[in-house]
Amino acid sequence: MTVLDREAPPRCPPPPPPPAAAPTGARAWARDLALGLRFAASGGREGWTRTALTALGVGLGVALLLAAASVPQLLDARQSRTEARDTPNATSQAVGKGITDTTFLWAEASTEYRGDPVTGRLLRPEGAEAPPPPGVAAIPGAGEMVVSPALRDLLASSEGALLAERLDDRIVGTIGDAGLVDPGELRFYAGSSTLTVDGVGIRSPGYGLDESPAPFDPLLVVLVILMCVVLLVPVGIFIATAVRFGGDRRDRRLAALRLVGADARTVRRIAAGEALGGTVAGLAVGAALFLILRQVVGHVRLWGYGAFPSDLTPVPGLALLIVLAVPAAAVLVTQAALSSVAIEPLGVVRDTGPRRRRLWWRLLLPVLGVGILATTGRVDAMSQSVGAVPIAVGASCVLIGLAGLLPWLVELAVSRLRGGPVPWQLATRRLQLSSGTAARAVSGITVAVAGAIALQMMFGAMQKDFLEITGQDTERADFYVSGDYGDSALAERMIQDFRDTKGVSKVIGTVETYVAATGAPTEHGWQPITSLTVGTCATLKEIAELPSCRDGDTFVGRLDARAAKKVGSAGVKEQNDRLKEAAVPGRPVDLTGNYEEGGKPLLWTLPESARTVVTFPDPMGDVHDGILVTPGALGSVKLPGATARASIKVDRTVPDAAEYVRGTAADIDPTLRINPLTDQERDKQYGSVQNGLLVGGTLTMMLIAASLLVSQIEQLRERKRLLSVLVAFGTRRRTLVWSVLWQTAVPVLLGTALAVGGGLVLAGFMLGIVGKPIGDWWVFVPYAAVGASVILLVTLATLPPLWRMMRPEGLRTE
């Protein structure tokens, strides 16, 4: 055998290539987040349910955030349409007095129906090319009118029968969207053939005002800032809660990943990716819900407000911020939640023994917020600017801090609970083992109640600055009717027609104008003037102390101390002194009130028999000094520039008495103004802020209720197997139901107490900024009751799914 025949020694296999280095940094985050996204989308029925609940919870919050981001666009659109249909006149913009091809006359003819405003105008074209209002094809002719779709439907229904009698012109068209503030607005334009500039008509060449809005009161700016914080912080808290749905089962799955070799940082990133998947799906759900809301909003009105779908368009910058901030928050919340949990290959540490929560770091955020608010400068009505950022940041820190304090408070309280009935023991034991989930479920409502308490205390302390005492006597009259023209015949007709109106118990009707005394000018260089009031003896007795009266009598009315509330003590003396020069018996007066040189007078002599009497305020709070005459004293003399007025008392037991009064006023003249008497009048800006709070608060409370229901169902789903086991071992279903109710009741009571304390603290510091004392310490009672009621109702709504989860099918393992 040669050397070549021998077998070659075996060769050693080449060494395996070195393992590829594990990705680090951004690559590791991308890999693990992608793996978490796969788990969220392919986790079987259990995983899909968890992702769906997270998406629904986040979607509800995102939908409300998108609605909030649409508020600037909505307000701008409403303001633009309002200005586009307003008509400039000599008092708002310079308008020529001559008639042209494009001029028209208009007069306000608005009314009210069962608490809802019905806006309207009378129109009369003066030229062939007179433009119609926005949204109207042509100016309606005499006896015709165009109406909004909502008004058309109301007039055609049985509910609008009384209004249809009042607006009896023939409907010839419908107002388009361009001429309406919102889809539910009740508005009309009616044609007129009798409107003149010598009466109540105002000449205008077109539509559209270019006027800057009145500056917002600095005190209201502070209120609006707090309102935005109070409405949006609970939304953010719930979104943070929703991304933690299914946390217990997720941690057990992550322990399995540790068993196959994943390290702690990897499983945390995978958990963040899983939460990110549910959040991204939540963005899609929120966008879909928002689009549905846009279509529904045109058919829904909250507290008298509505909107067109096109108005509900988010500001692009804010929408982009929501799209980026919500997923980022999901990742951060998940990382923060897992930072205190040790996930090992054989289980999760917190399942073996809970660690007591620490208080000190939970106090940092509310203390920081209080410090920011305490160092914020004082704001008053004369402030040139308001520190919006410090106020918003400080209030947000306080409210978010309350959400962080609630789990510690719940754990501290339930750790001392022992004994009691079986449902109570089941509930307290569950809370002792896992109080964080129950606390997070009610944290949103806790923050909302705390914010509502602070807001209401600010409203209560500031309302005196924005409510004016009118001095009107609501015991003597309920309505006040006035027109821009009048004579004794009109006053008599008003009195008679209103007396014959169903539900009217008393009428005080007058005609008022100003007259100038004739003779040498006063030291001021003009003739002294005074008022002249025409009324029947019964009417004059309602405004003056008359010894006796019959038609044809004349009086000179002087003021006494009762008028000091209206004009002041100095004003009483000044007007009485002026009266001695302006109302002298036997001296002629000019009924035109024209005391300028060159004017053509209309003279009437004040009789020598005129007696001096003392007058007192009428139901409107107005004082009637000067000349008081009965219709017979003037005879057929006309009163140019006069105003007809009537105060009306109705029988509140008669249904729709107010509508009968408004119907009579429309029959007399649709341009008559009728207003209810009130003890105090609210500032318009203050009223708009308060109405905005009602709308926003209603939407936020609806979100919280819906989100709390989702959270409660998620908690029950986590305990489905445990409930089924207890029922299988003979536990009564009623016992389990009561245990679930107690599990909700305990955090609710503790959260309500925390909300009351936090709300009072926040209100105290916010009122310090505006320099107002706390007016009512007990304002929290109704809001605490509302918050507790919402949670109770939501808990009751979870009973049907709870009943289904206690079936034996819950023992099945997938």
Side-chain angles (χ1 to χ4, degrees):
M1 183 176 63
T2 63
V3 176
L4 296 176
D5 294 333
R6 291 186 299 178
E7 293 184 3
R11 296 181 180 180
C12 296
T24 59
R27 292 178 58 195
W29 270 97
R31 179 201 64 186
D32 297 336
L33 288 177
L35 185 57
L37 289 172
R38 288 181 58 188
F39 286 162
S42 59
R45 185 176 63 179
E46 186 68 30
W48 295 335
T49 303
R50 181 180 62 256
T51 301
L53 287 174
T54 302
L56 180 59
V58 173
L60 289 171
V62 168
L64 190 58
L65 289 178
L66 291 175
S70 304
V71 170
Q73 169 66 21
L74 186 148
L75 296 178
D76 288 344
R78 290 174 64 94
Q79 183 67 22
S80 299
R81 287 194 297 269
T82 300
E83 293 178 353
R85 72 186 189 186
D86 282 342
T87 47
N89 53 65
T91 61
S92 60
Q93 294 183 10
V95 176
K97 295 184 179 180
I99 299 176
T100 67
D101 289 341
T102 61
T103 57
F104 59 91
L105 300 179
W106 66 272
E108 197 67 38
S110 298
T111 182
E112 185 177 318
Y113 186 69
R114 293 179 177 172
D116 294 324
V118 182
T119 60
R121 285 187 172 181
L122 300 181
L123 299 175
R124 182 184 181 184
E126 291 186 305
E129 299 179 4
V136 177
I139 294 179
E144 299 176 343
M145 67 178 179
V146 292
V147 299
S148 64
L151 181 57
R152 178 195 59 205
D153 296 340
L154 179 60
L155 294 176
S157 67
S158 59
E159 292 293 326
L162 291 177
L163 183 60
E165 295 178 4
R166 191 186 316 169
L167 306 177
D168 57 355
D169 289 342
R170 183 168 60 91
I171 298 176
V172 296
T174 303
I175 304 174
D177 293 351
L180 301 175
V181 173
D182 60 64
E185 184 181 16
L186 304 177
R187 187 171 180 83
F188 70 92
Y189 293 100
S192 173
S193 59
T194 59
L195 207 58
T196 64
V197 291
D198 295 331
V200 297
I202 300 175
R203 178 173 290 128
S204 181
Y207 303 88
L209 291 179
D210 186 15
E211 296 180 346
S212 301
F216 220 63
D217 191 284
L219 297 180
L220 292 181
V221 173
V222 176
L223 199 59
V224 170
I225 295 171
L226 179 61
M227 186 174 71
C228 294
V229 171
V230 169
L231 295 179
L232 294 180
V233 166
V235 178
I237 289 177
F238 174 72
I239 291 177
T241 302
V243 298
R244 298 183 64 178
F245 284 172
D248 294 343
R249 296 193 180 188
R250 177 202 60 197
D251 295 346
R252 289 193 291 271
R253 292 192 310 275
L254 296 179
L257 290 177
R258 290 296 313 276
L259 188 62
V260 297
D263 59 17
R265 292 183 179 179
T266 299
V267 296
R268 289 177 185 172
R269 291 194 291 263
I270 292 173
E274 191 172 354
L276 182 62
T279 304
V280 172
L283 288 175
V285 172
L289 291 176
F290 176 73
L291 293 177
I292 295 173
L293 176 64
R294 288 186 81 222
Q295 301 305 316
V296 175
V297 73
H299 306 282
V300 177
R301 292 179 69 82
L302 286 177
W303 304 101
Y305 284 83
F308 288 104
S310 59
D311 294 345
L312 212 61
T313 302
V315 176
L318 295 178
L320 179 62
L321 179 62
I322 294 170
V323 171
L324 296 179
V326 171
V331 174
L332 293 176
V333 168
T334 304
Q335 292 291 297
L338 293 178
S339 62
S340 60
V341 179
I343 302 175
E344 300 298 338
L346 298 180
V348 182
V349 170
R350 71 178 177 192
D351 285 345
T352 61
R355 185 179 62 181
R356 294 186 62 85
R357 290 180 169 86
R358 297 177 181 178
L359 177 62
W360 67 268
W361 67 268
R362 299 175 185 271
L363 290 174
L364 292 179
L365 202 57
V367 170
L368 175 63
V370 167
I372 294 175
L373 295 177
T375 56
T376 301
R378 181 70 62 84
V379 176
D380 55 29
M382 304 303 295
S383 298
Q384 297 297 322
S385 62
V386 178
V389 174
I391 295 175
V393 172
S396 299
C397 289
V398 172
L399 293 178
I400 296 173
L402 293 179
L405 283 171
L406 184 59
W408 174 86
L409 180 62
V410 173
E411 181 184 79
L412 179 66
V414 300
S415 63
R416 292 171 170 79
L417 298 178
R418 297 290 186 275
V422 174
W424 173 258
Q425 293 186 46
L426 288 173
T428 56
R429 184 55 179 162
R430 177 65 188 180
L431 290 174
Q432 289 168 355
L433 291 175
S434 179
S435 61
T437 303
R440 288 194 300 269
V442 299
S443 59
I445 198 74
T446 299
V447 171
V449 170
I453 291 172
L455 273 176
Q456 190 57 38
M457 294 189 78
M458 287 196 69
F459 269 107
M462 295 170 59
Q463 66 178 352
K464 293 182 180 179
D465 296 335
F466 300 97
L467 292 179
E468 178 184 357
I469 304 301
T470 62
Q472 299 172 0
D473 190 350
T474 56
E475 296 295 327
R476 297 171 61 193
D478 296 302
F479 294 95
Y480 173 71
V481 183
S482 64
D484 292 331
Y485 63 96
D487 52 28
S488 58
L490 177 60
E492 291 178 3
R493 181 187 175 188
M494 289 174 64
I495 293 174
Q496 187 60 44
D497 287 0
F498 282 124
R499 279 179 179 171
D500 295 339
T501 300
K502 182 179 179 180
V504 173
S505 59
K506 185 179 182 180
V507 181
I508 304 173
T510 62
V511 173
E512 300 174 23
T513 187
Y514 284 96
V515 298
T518 60
T522 66
E523 59 181 354
H524 301 292
W526 57 69
Q527 303 291 352
I529 62 172
T530 188
S531 63
L532 183 143
T533 302
V534 183
T536 63
C537 288
T539 294
L540 296 182
K541 287 180 179 179
E542 294 288 341
I543 59 176
E545 297 177 354
L546 305 182
S548 63
C549 180
R550 63 180 181 179
D551 192 24
D553 287 349
T554 306
F555 306 92
V556 176
R558 299 179 71 255
L559 302 180
D560 65 356
R562 285 172 291 185
K565 293 183 179 180
K566 185 72 175 181
V567 298
S569 300
V572 171
K573 183 179 183 303
E574 180 182 354
Q575 289 185 224
N576 284 337
D577 291 342
R578 186 180 302 169
L579 185 65
K580 295 178 182 179
E581 301 176 353
V584 179
R587 178 182 296 179
V589 295
D590 183 2
L591 298 181
T592 65
N594 186 0
Y595 49 82
E596 298 178 356
E597 294 184 5
K600 185 177 180 180
L602 177 61
L603 300 180
W604 173 80
T605 302
L606 179 62
E608 294 279 0
S609 59
R611 290 170 286 177
T612 300
V613 296
V614 175
T615 63
F616 49 83
D618 64 6
M620 283 291 295
D622 296 330
V623 290
H624 297 265
D625 62 330
I627 302 174
L628 311 178
V629 301
T630 55
L634 286 177
S636 60
V637 176
K638 301 295 183 181
L639 298 176
T643 300
R645 299 182 179 181
S647 298
I648 302 170
K649 183 69 177 178
V650 300
D651 185 356
R652 295 290 184 178
T653 62
V654 177
D656 287 326
E659 305 312 320
Y660 293 123
V661 170
R662 293 189 177 95
T664 299
D667 290 339
I668 297 173
D669 192 324
T671 64
L672 290 178
R673 295 183 297 274
I674 178 168
N675 298 299
L677 270 65
T678 179
D679 298 329
Q680 53 190 13
E681 186 173 342
R682 187 176 63 172
D683 180 82
K684 290 184 178 180
Q685 289 184 345
Y686 178 84
S688 64
V689 172
Q690 197 168 37
N691 291 335
L693 175 61
L694 292 174
V695 175
T698 301
L699 293 175
T700 302
M701 193 59 67
M702 292 170 60
L703 166 73
I704 290 175
S707 62
L708 186 60
L709 180 61
V710 175
S711 178
Q712 293 280 63
I713 293 176
E714 189 274 339
Q715 291 183 53
L716 293 176
R717 190 183 64 85
E718 288 285 325
R719 302 198 300 270
K720 178 174 63 174
R721 184 173 303 172
L722 175 61
L723 294 172
S724 298
V725 169
L726 289 174
V727 172
F729 275 93
T731 306
R732 291 185 300 179
R733 294 172 183 257
R734 185 176 62 182
T735 299
L736 295 180
V737 169
W738 275 108
S739 71
V740 171
L741 291 177
W742 282 120
Q743 288 175 45
T744 303
V746 172
V748 166
L749 292 176
L750 296 173
T752 301
L754 182 62
V756 170
L760 293 177
V761 170
L762 179 59
F765 282 94
M766 291 298 300
L767 289 174
I769 293 176
V770 297
K772 301 292 182 183
I774 295 178
D776 185 5
W777 284 95
W778 297 99
V779 73
F780 66 84
V781 175
Y783 293 94
V786 168
S789 300
V790 168
I791 296 180
L792 177 61
L793 292 175
V794 169
T795 304
L796 293 177
T798 60
L799 294 183
L802 170 64
W803 202 264
R804 291 195 301 270
M805 291 178 187
M806 290 187 293
R807 295 173 180 174
E809 288 80 358
L811 296 173
R812 182 180 301 163
T813 299
E814 183 175 329

